[in-house]
């Protein structure tokens, strides 16, 4: 065991990765401080977390985030383990002063892997199969892109710093030239864009810890459940190192002169080939699986930093499966309802299939990321928050039911339907208000295609964007919500609007409670439905199954069409 050290786990809002990292370092006898940008992160509830410190959110001010982390680290911790790109990028951009003790390669080396274009070039140099690609510098280059649908559109980097704020850029899968143009239009302001052929296969990751360009210890896993649009897997299984793949990853590490944690992602195609996807120069989403398979990679990384004897390669159990329960349970439930994808196909899970998933949890080789017998408090906190969220939703429904009983929010009558119609006229500004101002309200405002009509949200979150699914459906109606920036509703917006249109009764109630003097101008958009039975809440399409999202946006389009006829 290495000498106990005081360590900062930075970026602990990430949840499961931060929790796994905290447990790994704590079990190795080190003193762990959890650093997050919000109060009470799950990792902070671990018995292995000595304390928790809160920093400013880099999505709001990168400079302030840097200052606070440096000021804390100079006095408190010897080494810093970055959990995610949001924690690392502020210290890796050109011109930024290095963060003492950060367990990572030099900024130049890190950027070479973080940049998807240079990472793909490095992968080709060591002999990896990389999907055919076209580098697009402007919209004029669209004609050079072969129309082999679907295509994958990648920004050079998944995160950029714009005006001192960290911003996410998403990889997109496009299926038509119209979608391709919209994706390029959204990404080109941030640099050249990679357009690659879409490759179908099982996600495979090889991760490990490195020192001075050498892959010292490696771990391989295969994804079993994963979001089609990309992102971390929900359920995966450890497998024996593929010797050829392992050798090439070692060559890639040497080419990059990598130091610190690393994961290389691939797609294992039906013909047995491994197609390169990307390099993640940080701790990865399947870290909990490697721990449960018997490999403590964070502790090994510390041993290397202290010059201790290196552990042997491949010393872990294959066939161990672990799932991120908070994501995988809803995922499996959607399969049972027939609303979600497994792999790249839509499959309805049978009742027996659902029972088998439940029985799998009892199998000796099955694990749950969040659960550890020696550290149950974090899982208890997760369940407590889940129950609290469910209770809050049910209380909200109960409140609306009571209000309808007391006739404080009466059923919309035909007279009121006509009264609302009379409010629409040319030159009268409208304000659409939903919860987060990322899907419903910006879609409605975009359909009107006029700057006098605005949209806003009751509870916006910095960095939130509409899902790719919502963007595609909106685009079919001629509306672009892809790069919409959420805006919080305030008194000034309500003052300027002639009519305020909301999407749920709860929105109408909240606006009336917060700004009583504007209550007379707030109406539910669904009051425009000519069928009284159709005057019900419009479900939020954000993260909803595709059929529900399409119905919600279709209803909004239907009602906005009525408004357009009056303007």
């Amino acid at each position: 065991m290495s000498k106990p050290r005081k360590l900062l786990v930075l970026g602990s809002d990430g949840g499961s990765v931060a929790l796994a990292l905290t447990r790994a370092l704590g079990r190795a006898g080190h003193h762990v401080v959890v650093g997050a940008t919000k109060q009470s992160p799950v990792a902070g509830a671990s018995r292995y977390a000595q304390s928790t410190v809160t920093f400013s959110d880099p999505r709001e001010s990168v400079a302030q985030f840097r200052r606070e982390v440096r000021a804390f680290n100079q006095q408190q911790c010897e080494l810093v383990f970055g959990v995610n790109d949001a924690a690392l990028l502020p210290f890796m951009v050109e011109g930024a002063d290095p963060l003492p003790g950060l367990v990572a390669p030099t900024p130049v080396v890190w950027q070479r892997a973080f940049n998807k274009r240079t990472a793909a070039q490095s992968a080709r140099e060591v002999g990896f199969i990389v999907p055919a690609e076209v580098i697009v510098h402007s919209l004029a280059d669209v004609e050079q892109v072969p129309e082999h649908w679907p295509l994958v559109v990648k920004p050079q980097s998944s995160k950029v710093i714009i005006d001192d704020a960290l911003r996410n850029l998403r990889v997109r899968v496009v299926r038509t030239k119209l979608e391709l143009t919209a994706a390029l239009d959204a990404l080109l302001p941030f640099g050249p864009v990679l357009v690659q052929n879409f490759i179908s296969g099982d996600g495979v990751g090889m991760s490990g810890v490195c020192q001075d360009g050498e892959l010292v210890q490696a771990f391989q896993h295969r994804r079993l459940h994963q979001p089609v649009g990309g992102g971390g897997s929900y359920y995966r299984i450890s497998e024996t190192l593929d010797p050829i793949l392992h050798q090439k990853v070692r060559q890639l590490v040497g080419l990059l002169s990598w130091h610190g944690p690393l994961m290389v992602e691939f797609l294992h195609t039906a013909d047995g080939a491994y197609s390169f996807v990307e390099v993640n120069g940080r701790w990865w989403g399947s870290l909990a699986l490697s721990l449960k398979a018997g490999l403590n990679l964070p502790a090994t990384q510390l041993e290397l930093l202290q010059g201790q004897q290196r552990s042997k390669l491949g010393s872990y159990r294959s066939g161990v499966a672990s799932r991120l329960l908070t994501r995988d349970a809803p995922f499996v439930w959607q399969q049972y309802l027939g609303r979600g994808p497994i792999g790249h196909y839509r499959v309805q899970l049978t009742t027996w299939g659902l029972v088998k998933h439940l029985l799998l949890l009892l199998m000796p080789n099955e694990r749950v990321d969040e659960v550890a017998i020696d550290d149950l408090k974090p899982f208890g906190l997760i369940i407590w928050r889940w129950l609290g969220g469910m209770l809050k939703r049910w209380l909200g429904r109960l409140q609306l039911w009571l209000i309808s009983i007391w006739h404080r929010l009466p059923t919309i009558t035909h007279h009121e339907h006509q009264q609302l119609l009379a409010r629409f006229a040319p030159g009268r500004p409208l304000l659409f208000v939903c919860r987060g101002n990322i899907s419903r309200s910006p879609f409605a405002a975009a359909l009107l295609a006029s700057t006098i009509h605005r949209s806003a949200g009751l509870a916006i979150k910095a960095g939130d964007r509409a899902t790719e699914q919502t963007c595609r459906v909106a685009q079919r109606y001629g509306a672009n919500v892809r790069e919409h920036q959420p805006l919080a509703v305030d008194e000034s917006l309500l003052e300027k609007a002639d009519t305020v249109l909301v999407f749920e009764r709860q929105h109408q109630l909240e606006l009336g409670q917060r700004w009583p003097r504007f209550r007379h101008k707030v109406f539910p958009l669904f009051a425009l439905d000519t069928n009284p039975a159709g005057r019900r809440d419009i479900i939020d399409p954000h993260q909803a199954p595709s059929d529900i999202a399409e119905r919600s946006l279709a209803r909004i389009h239907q009602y906005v069409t009525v408004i357009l006829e009056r303007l």
Side-chain angles (χ1 to χ4, degrees), residues 308-373:
Q308 297 189 13
Q309 187 177 4
R310 299 171 179 180
S311 302
K312 294 181 180 180
L313 292 170
S315 55
Y316 63 87
R317 298 186 302 277
S318 62
V320 176
S322 186
R323 65 184 77 216
L324 182 59
L325 193 62
T326 49
R327 295 290 183 88
D328 196 57
F331 181 88
V332 171
W333 181 247
Q334 292 301 321
Q335 316 316 312
Y336 180 65
L337 298 177
R339 295 174 179 168
I342 288 183
H344 299 288
Y345 306 95
R346 179 179 290 275
V347 178
Q348 182 161 7
L349 202 63
T350 64
T351 301
W352 173 236
L354 180 64
V355 171
K356 283 198 291 185
H357 268 286
L358 294 173
L359 292 176
L360 273 175
L361 293 172
L362 304 177
M363 297 294 103
N365 278 345
E366 289 285 329
R367 305 288 189 273
V368 173
D369 287 6
E370 302 94 331
V371 177
I373 298 301

Side-chain angles (χ1 to χ4, degrees), residues 1-5 7 23-32 48:
M1 180 181 292
S2 59
K3 177 184 175 182
R5 307 180 78 168
L7 313 170
R23 285 170 170 168
L25 296 171
R27 286 171 183 152
H30 301 288
H31 307 298
V32 181
Y48 297 109

